[in-house]
């Protein structure tokens, strides 16, 4: 060949070229770098000559991509440079390699490979080889080093083959027939839909950044995997894929998986010595994972064989054929798998070692998993999106993969569902000593030690510990006289007042349990609670609307005082009702030991005798336990807020009453912070919870009030207020979600899979809570109690744990992140969606204070409360969420409806008003672009806000339309603009803006005449 040769790009090459257009970082992300370390005295001129001969042999190494990506040019000869770098110390090698990895290639200029010879010692050299993925794949690198080794030995390498002929074959008529057959196979494989893999990521997406981790695979595990595969007619590749797919099922909770599996794309013997981009990624569909691992391996083997027999369709074309949107923000295959087998090249008398740097400039997918095999050893090599996943999470996943693999190949008769992910259980000891006394008995100690201290402040009234002790003892005596005994349940129908505190304490002193009855409850609900709990005596200010129930006032005649000793720490202290999924409330029975465990020693939010603690929770809400008894058992002062306070009145109350500690439900906490964080100035600590606490508001408080302790508390009613807490660090910025933290003292918290097995960090599961804080169960609901309160298999002492129904995962640092309810998943248009993820994305907008997402008529609807009318929030969501997770509409409300306990009342959200039809083009530019897109896509009536990717647009369409726009308007629209703004409205705005800027910069004809001095 004596003249340059033009050759079309393959579809796979074009996809790489397109992705590399998004800047230098994106370009460098497709650099492949390998290191050949040679020990022995090496002639440098011999190396330079061998590299030049290598480039002369392989057309791909003399190829550049024409501007616009329309074709590639194979040059007859390209002179290659091999700079020699002398290192004073071997540690400098990392700097040289990093520079090579991060240096973007000019894709229009050959060669798209670079070579450096690094002298780390007189008798030790490292040849650093970097090639761009657009002209070479992993297999090619093996060819490159085999040929280099032969050339350095003075031998003639095998015939290199023709890169151009290979590409022509890919576009031949014979190839077209094979592709058509393969497309029919894939269409049948995905006839019932394309199940997208949803990885549980740690962080919201930002600018893609790459991370890379490598872990050694134990040699005995690798040998056992080979042997198992041999027994079942499966390759090592298939055996490792089967284990990885089993892990993915556990990771995602999906039993129908599509994994991107690499195939060499080399069908003929001559391809074995070809340097080219031949690799293809196949969407291999696997699942469900039933039966033993042996059975699963056989199924995976057959699936992979079928897929490889139909590997002729390039991935981009296949996804278009299947009607799948594939964009950087919504990749069809976010996870890929490969096994890369390498060997050290034979350099004769020299000792040679081949390796990769172990670093990553970028990550084309969320997770790219490979087993790098050399001889009888291997590394698990993972490249990941560091903007989505923490390093610790990925490391935990890798450890879990190796744990599962080892168990699977050691005993393949195990069911796939029983393969372990953890080699040992995290059993942190949170046990500390706490009193076995009753709540009222611990109060009595405070009353004896500090009788004149103020116990309760309600409006302008104050009650000392002595007064509270005596009045409650008199009422307790009266209750016993009325027949109240241990385990009796006494209703308390009072507002937030000193009388309420007296009544609660009196019931406990009588040996009974109290049932809070909210004054706002309708008579029907009150009757249901009283009947379910067995109450026949109610303490009230007036006769409550409860026929057949005896009521007594707080102030009773007589002076006799009584306090019944606690019979057992498991004696009932109170019952509180929560909503049930069947519509019938559930009575949670909380014993004294559970309350005492919450408050002793209370290291997560210490209360001192000098503290004044706000009591503001709804009376039936279990946080009242923390507010009231956490204060009185510490000798502090309980400051009772009036019912239904406003943010402003709360601020005044905190200031006027010198409150030092307060708990707020998350929605109220957010409202206070959004109004003015300085309202919290009197406090030394603030606790929030009850629902997800937003990072933005926590960061705002930490920034505005550096000395304020901010605590997020989590726990279901069934586990007595708090099970875990997290204290915001002083440098919290809000960049990451607020975790629910770690277990409080005397509490165990597990994140388990459906088979009750502990899960590693980063893998979502259900929260189970054990320890003395667990309630006794549900009143008169034995079956439901047995279903939710299970024997704790890890405690070994016969105790129970509570199944919360909450989904969470452990972070690498051991803290727990709340992810929503396990039953919160919804399915819209075939996609599984967590509404909480959509809401969190909207809440991240600076103008959005609250957000909640539900499903109406099979469409996602988000409701938001805003500070001011924001930009198009759907567009904001579309910037980080895949299209199917962008809400169909966003409804702005003045406030979100809430239940009596302050949680969002989803049933009360208004029905949205749907917009029918798309918005027609209105401007000349919009009409022009609409016509171009309609002709290109074969659609009519495209609206200016329609997502073009949803209508089938792909990269080739985009390039065609961009070219047509430039011809019509002289404005070149970057690829990035189309990918980030896939609507006619946004693209038209860009064109109009660029046209206006160009017009300003271009002088008019009259101005030019003036400049030339021509009279007019």
């Amino acid at each position: 060949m004596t003249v340059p040769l033009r050759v079309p790009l393959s579809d796979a090459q074009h996809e790489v070229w397109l992705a590399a257009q998004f800047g230098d970082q994106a370009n460098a992300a497709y650099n492949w770098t390998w290191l050949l370390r040679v020990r022995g005295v090496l002639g440098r001129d011999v190396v330079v000559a061998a590299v030049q001969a290598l480039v002369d042999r392989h057309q791909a190494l003399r190829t550049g991509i024409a501007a616009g990506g329309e074709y590639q040019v194979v040059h007859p000869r390209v002179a290659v440079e091999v700079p020699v770098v002398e290192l004073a110390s071997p540690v400098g090698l990392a700097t040289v390699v990093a520079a090579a990895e991060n240096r973007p290639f000019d894709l229009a200029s050959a060669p798209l490979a670079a070579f450096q010879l690094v002298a780390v010692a007189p008798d030790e050299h490292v040849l650093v080889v970097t090639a761009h993925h657009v002209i070479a794949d992993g297999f090619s690198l093996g060819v490159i080093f085999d040929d280099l080794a032969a050339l350095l030995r003075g031998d003639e390498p095998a015939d290199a083959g023709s890169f151009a002929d290979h590409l022509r074959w890919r576009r031949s008529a014979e190839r077209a027939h094979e592709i058509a057959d393969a497309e029919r196979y894939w269409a049948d494989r995905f006839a019932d839909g394309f199940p997208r893999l949803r990885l549980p990521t740690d962080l919201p997406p930002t600018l893609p950044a790459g991370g890379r981790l490598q872990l050694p695979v134990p040699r005995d595990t690798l040998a056992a995997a080979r042997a198992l595969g041999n027994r079942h007619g499966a390759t090592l590749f298939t055996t490792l894929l089967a284990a990885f797919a089993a892990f993915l099922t556990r990771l995602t909770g999906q039993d129908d998986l599509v994994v991107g599996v690499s195939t060499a794309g080399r069908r003929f013997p001559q391809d074995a010595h070809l340097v080219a981009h031949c690799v293809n990624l196949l969407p291999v569909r696997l699942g469900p994972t039933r039966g033993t691992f042996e059975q699963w391996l056989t199924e995976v083997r057959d699936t992979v064989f079928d897929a490889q027999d139909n590997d002729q369709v390039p991935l981009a074309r296949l996804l278009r054929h299947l009607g799948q949107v594939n964009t950087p923000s919504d990749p069809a295959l976010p996870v890929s798998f490969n096994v890369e087998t390498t060997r050290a090249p034979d350099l004769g008398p020299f000792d040679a070692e081949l390796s990769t740097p172990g670093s990553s400039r970028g990550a084309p997918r969320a997770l790219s998993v490979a087993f790098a095999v050399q001889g009888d050893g291997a590394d698990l090599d993972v490249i990941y999106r560091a903007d989505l996943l923490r390093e610790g999470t990925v490391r935990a996943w890798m450890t879990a993969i190796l744990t599962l693999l080892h168990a699977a190949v050691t005993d393949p008769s195990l069911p796939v569902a029983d393969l372990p992910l953890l080699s040992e259980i995290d059993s942190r000891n949170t046990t500390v000593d706490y009193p076995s006394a009753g709540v009222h008995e611990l109060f009595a100690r405070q009353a004896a030690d500090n009788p004149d201290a103020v116990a309760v402040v309600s409006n302008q009234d104050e009650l000392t510990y002595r007064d509270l002790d005596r009045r409650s003892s008199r009422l307790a005596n009266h209750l016993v006289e009325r027949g109240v005994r241990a385990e009796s349940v006494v209703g308390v129908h009072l507002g937030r007042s000193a009388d309420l505190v007296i009544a609660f304490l009196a019931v406990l002193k009588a040996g009974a349990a109290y049932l809070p009855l909210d004054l706002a409850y309708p008579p029907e609900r009150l009757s249901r609670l009283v009947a379910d709990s067995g109450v026949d005596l109610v303490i009230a200010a007036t006769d409550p609307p409860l026929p057949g129930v005896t009521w007594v006032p707080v102030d009773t005649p007589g002076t006799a005082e009584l306090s019944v000793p606690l019979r057992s720490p498991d004696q009932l202290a109170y019952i509180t009702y929560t909503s049930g999924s069947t519509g019938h409330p559930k009575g949670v029975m909380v014993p004294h030991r559970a309350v005492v465990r919450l408050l002793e020693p209370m290291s997560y939010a210490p209360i001192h005798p000098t503290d004044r603690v706000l009591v503001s929770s709804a009376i039936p809400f279990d946080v009242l336990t923390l507010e009231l008894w956490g204060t009185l058992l510490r000798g502090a002062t309980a400051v009772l807020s009036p019912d239904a306070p406003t943010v402003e009145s709360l601020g005044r109350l905190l200031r006027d009453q010198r409150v030092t500690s307060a708990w707020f439900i998350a929605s109220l906490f957010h409202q206070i912070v959004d109004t003015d964080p300085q309202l919290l100035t009197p406090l030394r600590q603030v606790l929030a919870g009850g629902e997800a606490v937003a990072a933005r508001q926590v960061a705002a408080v930490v920034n505005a009030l550096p000395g304020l302790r901010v605590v997020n508390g989590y726990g279901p009613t069934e586990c007595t207020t708090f099970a875990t807490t997290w204290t915001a660090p002083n440098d919290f910025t809000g960049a990451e979600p607020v975790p629910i933290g770690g277990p409080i003292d005397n509490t165990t918290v597990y994140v388990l899979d459906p088979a009750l097995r502990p899960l590693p960090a980063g893998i979502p599961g259900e929260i189970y809570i054990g320890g003395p804080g667990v309630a006794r169960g549900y009143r008169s609901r034995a079956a439901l109690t047995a279903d939710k309160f299970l024997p704790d298999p890890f405690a070994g002492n016969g105790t129970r744990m509570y199944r919360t129904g909450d989904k969470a995962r452990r972070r690498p640092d051991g803290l727990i992140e709340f992810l929503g309810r396990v039953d919160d998943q919804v399915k819209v248009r075939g996609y599984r969606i967590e509404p909480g993820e959509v809401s969190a994305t909207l809440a991240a907008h600076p103008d959005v204070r609250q957000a909640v997402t539900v499903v109406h008529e099979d469409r996602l609807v988000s409701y938001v409360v805003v500070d001011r009318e924001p930009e198009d929030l759907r567009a904001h969501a579309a910037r980080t969420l895949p299209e199917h997770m962008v809400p169909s509409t966003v409804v702005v409300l003045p406030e979100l409806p809430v239940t009596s306990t302050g949680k969002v009342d989803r049933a009360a959200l208004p029905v949205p008003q749907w917009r029918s039809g798309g918005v027609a083009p209105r401007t000349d530019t919009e009409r022009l672009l609409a016509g171009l897109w309609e002709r290109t896509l074969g659609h009519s009536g495209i609206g200016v806000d329609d997502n073009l990717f949803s209508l089938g647009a792909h990269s080739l369409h985009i390039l065609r339309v961009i070219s047509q726009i430039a011809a019509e308007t002289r404005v070149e629209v970057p690829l990035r603009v189309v990918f980030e703004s896939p609507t006619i409205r946004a693209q038209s705005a860009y064109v109009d803006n660029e046209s206006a800027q160009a017009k300003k910069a271009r002088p008019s004809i009259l101005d030019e005449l003036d400049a030339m001095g021509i009279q007019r």
Side-chain angles (χ1 to χ4, degrees):
M1 186 178 74
T2 58
V3 295
L5 180 67
R6 287 189 178 188
V7 183
L9 274 72
S10 68
D11 284 355
Q13 281 183 294
H14 188 271
E15 288 297 310
V16 174
W17 176 85
L18 187 68
Q21 302 308 300
F22 286 81
D24 287 349
Q25 184 178 2
N27 184 333
Y30 287 92
N31 286 351
W32 291 64
T33 298
W34 285 75
L35 312 179
L36 178 62
R37 186 180 293 269
V38 181
R39 296 178 180 89
V41 179
L42 190 65
R44 298 177 182 180
D45 54 341
V46 175
V47 174
V48 173
V51 169
Q52 183 64 62
L54 175 78
V55 173
D56 292 343
R57 290 176 51 77
H58 291 284
Q59 291 180 337
L61 299 180
R62 306 193 307 275
T63 296
I65 313 299
E70 297 177 10
Y71 57 87
Q72 52 196 324
V73 179
V74 182
H75 297 274
R77 191 173 193 279
V78 171
V80 64
E81 296 181 359
V82 185
V84 178
V85 180
E86 301 277 359
L87 291 183
S89 168
V91 297
L93 179 62
T95 303
V96 174
V97 172
E101 287 185 294
N102 290 292
R103 186 181 299 116
F105 284 98
D106 177 0
L107 297 185
S109 301
L112 299 183
F115 304 83
Q116 292 183 85
L117 186 62
V118 182
V120 296
D123 59 348
E124 184 174 346
H125 292 75
V126 176
L127 182 63
V128 181
V129 180
T130 303
H132 199 277
H133 194 32
V134 77
I135 55 99
D137 53 22
F139 190 97
S140 300
L141 289 166
V143 175
I144 287 173
F145 284 106
D146 282 346
D147 283 9
L148 270 175
L151 291 165
L152 287 170
R153 292 194 310 266
D155 297 336
E156 181 66 21
D159 182 20
S162 171
F163 176 53
D165 288 347
H166 177 85
L167 291 173
R168 289 193 191 98
W169 168 77
R170 281 182 172 270
R171 295 178 175 270
S172 65
E174 176 190 357
R175 170 83 169 166
H177 177 73
E178 292 181 357
I179 288 176
D181 289 342
E183 285 180 336
R184 283 189 287 273
Y185 163 81
W186 292 109
D188 181 65
R189 188 79 178 122
F190 292 101
D192 59 342
F194 191 100
R196 299 220 170 187
L197 198 63
R198 297 291 296 168
L199 278 182
T201 55
D202 294 322
L203 307 167
T206 54
L207 292 175
R212 187 173 187 177
L213 287 174
Q214 294 171 314
L215 287 181
V217 180
R219 290 180 181 269
D220 61 335
T221 300
L222 190 66
R226 278 199 173 103
L228 177 64
N230 290 337
R231 293 198 300 272
H232 292 274
T235 62
L236 178 62
F237 180 101
T238 302
T239 306
L240 297 175
L241 173 61
F244 177 59
F247 165 77
L248 281 180
T249 295
R250 301 276 286 281
L251 174 66
T252 64
Q254 298 173 239
D255 62 0
D256 190 4
L257 306 170
V258 180
V259 181
V261 172
S262 295
T263 180
R266 297 166 187 260
R267 294 190 144 244
F268 302 105
Q270 60 268 30
D271 293 343
H273 303 290
L274 184 67
V275 173
H277 182 113
C278 302
V279 69
N280 191 21
L281 205 62
L282 302 178
V284 176
R285 187 174 187 179
L286 301 168
T289 51
R290 300 194 182 104
T292 67
F293 186 76
E294 283 179 309
Q295 294 168 328
W296 171 237
L297 173 59
T298 301
E299 184 178 331
V300 173
R301 177 200 65 196
D302 295 343
T303 301
V304 170
F305 283 170
D306 287 344
Q308 290 175 337
D309 282 344
N310 293 275
D311 70 347
Q312 299 90 335
V313 191
L315 177 64
R317 174 170 174 169
L318 177 56
L319 292 176
R320 292 197 297 271
H321 182 72
L322 296 174
Q324 293 301 306
V325 173
N326 186 39
T327 65
S329 63
D330 187 15
L333 296 174
V335 175
S336 66
F337 176 85
N338 197 13
V339 174
E340 301 163 350
T341 301
T342 60
R343 63 185 185 279
D346 179 10
L347 286 181
F350 298 105
D351 179 21
E353 177 185 322
L354 191 61
S355 64
T356 58
S359 57
S360 175
R361 292 81 47 221
R365 317 186 179 279
L367 195 69
S368 298
V369 173
F371 284 86
V373 180
Q374 277 196 352
D376 59 355
D379 286 333
L380 177 56
D381 189 353
V382 175
I383 296 174
Y384 62 95
R385 287 255 317 254
D387 63 313
L388 298 177
L389 296 166
R390 300 184 185 96
E391 178 183 326
T393 295
V394 177
R395 189 179 298 279
W397 289 358
M398 295 170 70
T399 302
I401 292 170
L402 295 179
T403 299
L404 183 148
L405 172 64
H406 180 78
V409 299
T410 301
D411 185 1
S413 65
L414 283 173
V416 175
D418 290 344
L419 294 172
L421 296 176
L422 276 177
S423 56
E424 58 183 24
I425 297 172
D426 180 2
S427 55
R428 287 170 213 198
N429 186 9
T430 63
T431 303
V432 298
D433 290 336
Y434 69 99
S436 59
V439 173
H440 58 293
E441 292 170 333
L442 295 175
F443 167 81
R445 297 177 189 175
Q446 292 294 337
D449 292 342
N450 303 286
D452 296 321
V454 176
V456 177
V457 175
S458 178
N459 294 323
Q460 302 302 316
D461 299 329
E462 292 186 349
L463 202 63
T464 66
Y465 274 83
R466 177 188 290 109
D467 295 336
L468 178 56
D469 187 35
R470 287 177 175 174
R471 291 181 63 181
S472 60
S473 294
R474 285 199 293 268
L475 179 55
N477 183 70
H478 182 70
L479 294 176
V480 171
E481 289 176 349
R482 300 293 295 266
V484 171
R485 296 292 181 266
E487 297 290 314
S488 296
V489 181
V490 178
V492 178
H493 191 247
L494 295 165
R496 198 183 296 114
S497 62
D499 283 353
L500 178 77
V501 182
I502 293 169
F504 282 171
L505 190 53
V507 172
L508 297 179
K509 286 184 174 185
Y514 57 83
L515 170 67
L517 298 169
D518 199 313
L519 294 176
Y521 281 169
E524 181 180 344
R525 181 172 180 84
L526 288 174
S527 297
R528 176 177 288 180
L529 299 188
V530 165
D532 186 79
S533 61
V535 164
D536 55 18
L537 188 69
V538 173
I539 302 172
T542 58
D543 192 355
L546 293 168
V549 173
T550 302
W551 73 282
V552 296
V554 172
D555 291 317
T556 58
T559 58
E561 298 177 4
L562 178 70
S563 181
V564 178
L566 191 72
R567 293 182 178 180
S568 162
D570 206 45
Q571 188 171 314
L572 196 61
Y574 66 86
I575 295 178
T576 187
Y577 279 80
T578 65
S579 61
S581 57
T582 62
H584 298 290
K586 303 170 295 186
V588 181
M589 300 186 293
V590 180
H592 281 262
R593 57 147 166 91
V595 179
V596 176
R597 152 263 175 205
L598 173 70
L599 307 174
E600 294 286 349
M602 207 169 166
S603 56
Y604 54 87
I607 298 295
H608 309 295
T610 55
D611 277 315
R612 296 171 67 86
V613 181
L614 182 68
V615 179
S616 62
S617 297
I619 290 167
F621 201 22
D622 68 321
V623 176
L624 190 70
T625 302
L626 173 74
E627 293 176 326
L628 187 59
W629 301 123
T631 304
L632 298 179
L633 270 58
R634 283 284 181 279
T637 300
V639 178
L640 277 54
S641 78
D643 292 330
T646 64
V647 169
E648 291 74 14
S649 65
L650 263 179
R652 288 193 297 272
L653 181 67
L654 298 181
R655 183 191 65 233
D656 295 345
Q657 289 293 339
R658 308 182 309 285
V659 174
T660 58
S661 180
W663 180 93
F664 300 111
I665 195 163
S667 53
L668 179 57
F669 172 73
H670 298 158
Q671 191 178 354
I672 292 170
V673 175
D674 290 339
T675 301
D676 183 4
Q678 297 300 327
L679 293 173
L680 302 175
T681 299
L683 302 177
R684 66 170 183 83
Q685 67 180 11
V686 60
L687 295 83
E691 51 192 1
V693 176
R696 181 166 67 90
Q697 279 85 355
V698 172
V701 173
V702 169
N703 182 61
L705 302 168
L708 179 63
R709 181 188 182 105
V710 183
V711 179
N712 180 29
Y714 159 84
T717 300
E718 289 84 349
C719 297
T720 319
T721 311
F722 283 170
T724 68
T725 60
W726 170 81
T727 301
N730 294 332
D731 58 353
F732 184 71
T733 63
E736 296 191 9
V738 173
I740 59 174
I744 67 172
D745 292 331
N746 298 304
T747 303
T748 52
V749 179
Y750 312 109
V751 180
L752 306 180
D753 69 8
L756 303 185
R757 291 173 300 224
L759 291 167
I763 299 184
E766 187 173 354
I767 296 178
Y768 289 74
I769 299 171
V774 176
R776 283 169 33 177
Y778 299 117
R779 179 82 169 190
S780 305
R781 305 282 289 275
L784 185 60
T785 296
D787 180 58
K788 300 286 283 183
F789 295 82
L790 309 176
D792 187 339
F794 311 107
N797 56 6
T799 57
R800 294 184 301 170
M801 63 182 184
Y802 174 68
R803 178 163 61 92
T804 67
D806 289 334
K807 186 165 68 172
R809 65 179 166 220
R810 287 192 187 276
R811 295 195 330 194
D813 58 8
L815 298 180
I816 298 171
E817 285 184 351
F818 177 80
L819 300 175
R821 295 288 296 172
V822 294
D823 54 2
D824 259 358
Q825 270 192 352
V826 296
K827 207 168 187 180
V828 177
R829 292 170 24 221
Y831 294 104
R832 297 183 185 199
I833 296 170
E834 292 285 352
E837 185 177 356
V838 181
S839 300
T841 299
L842 292 172
H845 190 285
D847 292 328
V848 175
R849 285 194 279 127
Q850 291 175 282
V852 64
T853 302
V854 298
V855 175
H856 274 296
E857 300 175 1
D858 291 328
R859 286 184 277 189
L860 281 179
V861 180
S862 293
Y863 297 84
V864 298
V865 178
V866 299
D867 290 320
R868 57 185 176 183
E869 195 64 26
E871 65 176 274
D872 182 358
L873 289 175
R874 291 187 73 254
H876 167 75
R879 281 197 280 272
T880 55
L881 293 175
E883 185 273 334
H884 63 271
M885 292 186 68
V886 176
S888 296
T889 189
V890 179
V891 181
V892 178
L893 299 176
E895 60 184 8
L896 296 179
V898 295
T899 64
S900 60
T901 58
K903 297 185 179 181
V904 175
D905 187 356
R906 285 167 170 77
L909 292 167
V911 176
Q913 301 297 313
W914 302 111
R915 292 181 296 176
S916 59
V919 178
R922 293 167 298 179
T923 68
D924 289 343
T925 307
E926 288 179 351
R927 283 188 284 272
L928 169 66
L929 266 62
L932 296 177
W933 278 111
E934 287 172 359
R935 288 193 295 275
T936 301
L937 298 178
H939 287 287
S940 59
I942 298 178
V944 296
D945 295 317
D946 290 344
N947 188 304
L948 297 167
F949 291 128
S950 299
L951 300 176
H954 54 73
S955 58
L956 296 179
H957 292 145
I958 294 169
L959 289 172
R960 191 176 308 149
V961 172
I962 285 175
S963 176
Q964 292 169 345
I965 292 173
E968 294 283 349
T969 67
R970 297 188 179 180
V971 173
E972 293 187 3
V973 179
L975 285 167
R976 171 184 51 78
V977 171
V978 181
F979 273 105
E980 293 178 354
S981 306
T983 66
I984 290 170
R985 185 195 297 276
Q987 294 164 23
S988 298
Y990 181 86
V991 171
D992 287 341
N993 181 64
E994 290 296 303
S995 296
Q997 295 298 324
K999 189 173 182 181
K1000 286 180 183 178
R1002 187 170 58 244
S1004 69
I1005 293 177
L1006 295 179
D1007 290 339
E1008 291 180 0
L1009 291 174
D1010 285 343
M1012 291 162 37
I1014 298 175
Q1015 189 70 33
R1016 57 184 171 92

